Amino acid sequence: MCDLCVINSVKQKMLSRRDLFRATAVGAGAAAAASLTGAMPALSQTPSKVADMTHELHQSFPTFGGDEQFFAEKVFDFANDGYSLYNLKVNEHTGTHLDAPLHFSSDGQSVAEIPVENLVAPLCIVDIKARAAENPDTQVTPDDLKAWIAAHGEIPKGACVAMNSGWSAHVNSDKFRNADDKGAMHFPGFHLEAVQMLMDDADVVGIAVDSLSLDHGISQDFAVHYAWLPSNRWGLECIANLDALPASGATLIVGAPKHRGGTGGPSRVLAMT
């Protein structure tokens, strides 16, 4: 065999071994990434648009109890210090925010423990706007869910089911809380029987409302919170811009905070269509 043939043969073997090592490393990296992040949930469709489902958080944002829950103190100013910085003090359940299972259970997942694959979900939007305009105490019922299924097919595995009551349009007015003379609030939410149907008949990871609470405003027992969250499912409150999305086909991405032992927190919520 000529010297050139020997050299070419050695080079080819070295390249083959290099490709083998590279493929092995890529495979190991992918396996490691999968073990760290969990299985990727199925997207509703190949996305081409992104919608912001988050209200802007500010100090006068309406709260369930009526008192301010977001405080921003400016510590450094660009004009004087060359950079700007705020100290923030915020209640976990303020603005567009996530309710973690731990919020209404003694041993449920904290906001940091929710699997990331459960924070990306096909979005199913149940429209009750017409009814809410007539009766602010209305709720999403099993009949609403059945009507959605009849129109759009079965609720996808790992979905989030959202109530669109049109209530986000009132976020900058007193009607968002809609408190009467006795302090009772009147806004829509989920009915207990609806969430029981979702727990029994659908593999759903979360529910969302465009109002201040998963329970409707006049609830005294937080029955939906106590049924839903201890099942290690999450809830989103004060979601925005549901009218910008189709009833089915969008994929929700919940940018939940990750503080240890947290019961929830303000979240940047996006939807892809």
Side-chain angles (χ1 to χ4, degrees), residues 96-120:
T96 301
H97 68 275
L98 186 87
D99 282 7
L102 189 59
H103 185 35
F104 269 73
S105 63
S106 62
D107 57 356
Q109 294 167 343
S110 73
V111 70
E113 293 170 333
I114 298 173
V116 291
E117 59 267 28
N118 287 358
L119 297 174
V120 180

Side-chain angles (χ1 to χ4, degrees), residues 10-22:
V10 171
K11 281 183 177 179
Q12 189 59 47
K13 289 179 180 178
M14 290 176 67
L15 289 172
S16 297
R17 290 187 58 174
R18 226 176 260 154
D19 291 340
L20 175 63
F21 290 143
R22 187 179 295 115

Side-chain angles (χ1 to χ4, degrees), residues 179-192:
D180 61 26
D181 293 341
K182 296 181 180 179
M185 291 180 289
H186 299 271
F187 53 74
F190 273 84
H191 193 285
L192 175 60

Side-chain angles (χ1 to χ4, degrees), residues 20 24 33 40 76 83 90 96 112 119 132 137 146 157-158 188 191 202-203 206 217 253 260 266:
L20 175 63
T24 302
M40 177 64 185
F76 295 100
Y83 63 99
V90 58
T96 301
L119 297 174
D137 296 324
K146 292 173 184 176
K157 179 179 179 181
H191 193 285
D203 187 3
I253 302 172
R260 186 173 299 174

Side-chain angles (χ1 to χ4, degrees), residues 122-168:
L123 182 61
C124 307
I125 301 175
V126 179
D127 191 327
I128 61 166
K129 292 198 299 287
R131 208 163 68 231
E134 297 292 328
N135 176 18
D137 296 324
T138 194
Q139 301 169 83
V140 175
T141 67
D143 285 342
D144 294 316
L145 299 178
K146 292 173 184 176
W148 190 96
I149 292 169
H152 305 287
E154 293 299 320
I155 295 172
K157 179 179 179 181
C160 170
V161 176
M163 174 193 79
N164 184 4
S165 67
W167 216 251
S168 64

Side-chain angles (χ1 to χ4, degrees), residues 41-61:
L43 298 178
S44 293
Q45 59 186 20
T46 302
S48 60
K49 298 180 181 178
V50 180
D52 192 349
M53 314 304 293
T54 318
H55 287 294
E56 184 179 21
L57 185 55
H58 51 86
Q59 289 173 285
S60 58
F61 194 93

